[in-house]
mmCIF file of all heavy atoms in Angstrom:
data_model
loop_
_atom_site.group_PDB
_atom_site.id
_atom_site.type_symbol
_atom_site.label_atom_id
_atom_site.label_comp_id
_atom_site.label_asym_id
_atom_site.label_seq_id
_atom_site.Cartn_x
_atom_site.Cartn_y
_atom_site.Cartn_z
ATOM 1 N N GLY B 417 -61.868 23.006 2.239
ATOM 2 C CA GLY B 417 -62.832 22.233 3.137
ATOM 3 C C GLY B 417 -63.340 20.950 2.450
ATOM 4 O O GLY B 417 -64.072 20.254 3.134
ATOM 5 N N LYS B 418 -63.052 20.775 1.237
ATOM 6 C CA LYS B 418 -63.502 19.526 0.544
ATOM 7 C C LYS B 418 -63.065 18.291 1.218
ATOM 8 O O LYS B 418 -63.778 17.288 1.330
ATOM 9 C CB LYS B 418 -62.825 19.598 -0.934
ATOM 10 C CG LYS B 418 -63.343 18.369 -1.724
ATOM 11 C CD LYS B 418 -62.527 18.276 -3.079
ATOM 12 C CE LYS B 418 -62.989 17.072 -3.796
ATOM 13 N NZ LYS B 418 -62.716 15.796 -3.011
ATOM 14 N N ILE B 419 -61.851 18.385 1.860
ATOM 15 C CA ILE B 419 -61.332 17.227 2.560
ATOM 16 C C ILE B 419 -62.265 16.899 3.797
ATOM 17 O O ILE B 419 -62.616 15.804 4.061
ATOM 18 C CB ILE B 419 -59.900 17.507 3.102
ATOM 19 C CG1 ILE B 419 -59.049 17.819 1.833
ATOM 20 C CG2 ILE B 419 -59.378 16.313 3.844
ATOM 21 C CD1 ILE B 419 -58.941 16.813 0.786
ATOM 22 N N LYS B 420 -62.614 17.999 4.474
ATOM 23 C CA LYS B 420 -63.479 17.769 5.649
ATOM 24 C C LYS B 420 -64.872 17.265 5.149
ATOM 25 O O LYS B 420 -65.471 16.411 5.767
ATOM 26 C CB LYS B 420 -63.618 19.110 6.373
ATOM 27 C CG LYS B 420 -64.379 18.992 7.776
ATOM 28 C CD LYS B 420 -63.416 18.521 8.735
ATOM 29 C CE LYS B 420 -63.869 17.316 9.554
ATOM 30 N NZ LYS B 420 -62.845 16.737 10.420
ATOM 31 N N ALA B 421 -65.332 17.850 4.072
ATOM 32 C CA ALA B 421 -66.647 17.538 3.559
ATOM 33 C C ALA B 421 -66.712 16.003 3.212
ATOM 34 O O ALA B 421 -67.658 15.303 3.550
ATOM 35 C CB ALA B 421 -66.963 18.331 2.321
ATOM 36 N N ASP B 422 -65.703 15.523 2.495
ATOM 37 C CA ASP B 422 -65.659 14.093 2.117
ATOM 38 C C ASP B 422 -65.656 13.255 3.416
ATOM 39 O O ASP B 422 -66.327 12.199 3.414
ATOM 40 C CB ASP B 422 -64.324 13.786 1.309
ATOM 41 C CG ASP B 422 -64.396 14.456 -0.057
ATOM 42 O OD1 ASP B 422 -65.556 14.918 -0.437
ATOM 43 O OD2 ASP B 422 -63.366 14.498 -0.720
ATOM 44 N N GLN B 423 -64.874 13.649 4.363
ATOM 45 C CA GLN B 423 -64.750 12.929 5.643
ATOM 46 C C GLN B 423 -66.126 12.861 6.314
ATOM 47 O O GLN B 423 -66.543 11.771 6.727
ATOM 48 C CB GLN B 423 -63.797 13.687 6.496
ATOM 49 C CG GLN B 423 -62.907 12.816 7.361
ATOM 50 C CD GLN B 423 -62.228 13.697 8.329
ATOM 51 O OE1 GLN B 423 -62.183 15.008 8.294
ATOM 52 N NE2 GLN B 423 -61.569 13.105 9.391
ATOM 53 N N LEU B 424 -66.785 13.993 6.349
ATOM 54 C CA LEU B 424 -68.129 14.059 7.032
ATOM 55 C C LEU B 424 -69.172 13.209 6.263
ATOM 56 O O LEU B 424 -69.921 12.383 6.836
ATOM 57 C CB LEU B 424 -68.659 15.474 7.003
ATOM 58 C CG LEU B 424 -67.909 16.461 7.998
ATOM 59 C CD1 LEU B 424 -68.364 17.894 7.736
ATOM 60 C CD2 LEU B 424 -68.138 16.056 9.460
ATOM 61 N N ARG B 425 -69.178 13.308 4.960
ATOM 62 C CA ARG B 425 -70.137 12.618 4.104
ATOM 63 C C ARG B 425 -70.046 11.094 4.274
ATOM 64 O O ARG B 425 -71.081 10.379 4.429
ATOM 65 C CB ARG B 425 -69.939 12.997 2.630
ATOM 66 C CG ARG B 425 -71.142 12.694 1.793
ATOM 67 C CD ARG B 425 -70.927 13.066 0.310
ATOM 68 N NE ARG B 425 -70.907 14.493 0.066
ATOM 69 C CZ ARG B 425 -69.808 15.116 -0.315
ATOM 70 N NH1 ARG B 425 -68.663 14.532 -0.539
ATOM 71 N NH2 ARG B 425 -69.879 16.458 -0.596
ATOM 72 N N ALA B 426 -68.838 10.615 4.361
ATOM 73 C CA ALA B 426 -68.559 9.192 4.494
ATOM 74 C C ALA B 426 -69.058 8.514 5.788
ATOM 75 O O ALA B 426 -69.299 7.358 5.842
ATOM 76 C CB ALA B 426 -67.055 8.893 4.391
ATOM 77 N N THR B 427 -69.374 9.412 6.748
ATOM 78 C CA THR B 427 -69.839 8.801 8.042
ATOM 79 C C THR B 427 -71.400 8.329 7.931
ATOM 80 O O THR B 427 -71.705 7.556 8.654
ATOM 81 C CB THR B 427 -69.814 9.825 9.198
ATOM 82 O OG1 THR B 427 -70.644 10.887 8.859
ATOM 83 C CG2 THR B 427 -68.378 10.275 9.425
ATOM 84 N N GLY B 428 -72.045 9.034 7.055
ATOM 85 C CA GLY B 428 -73.457 8.710 6.967
ATOM 86 C C GLY B 428 -74.294 9.272 8.176
ATOM 87 O O GLY B 428 -75.450 8.947 8.339
ATOM 88 N N ALA B 429 -73.567 10.011 8.995
ATOM 89 C CA ALA B 429 -74.227 10.551 10.184
ATOM 90 C C ALA B 429 -75.147 11.748 9.897
ATOM 91 O O ALA B 429 -75.054 12.354 8.784
ATOM 92 C CB ALA B 429 -73.220 11.007 11.211
#
Side-chain angles (χ1 to χ4, degrees):
Chain B
K418 182 186 175 302
I419 304 302
K420 190 81 233 172
D422 292 346
Q423 214 191 348
L424 289 170
R425 199 181 287 115
T427 64

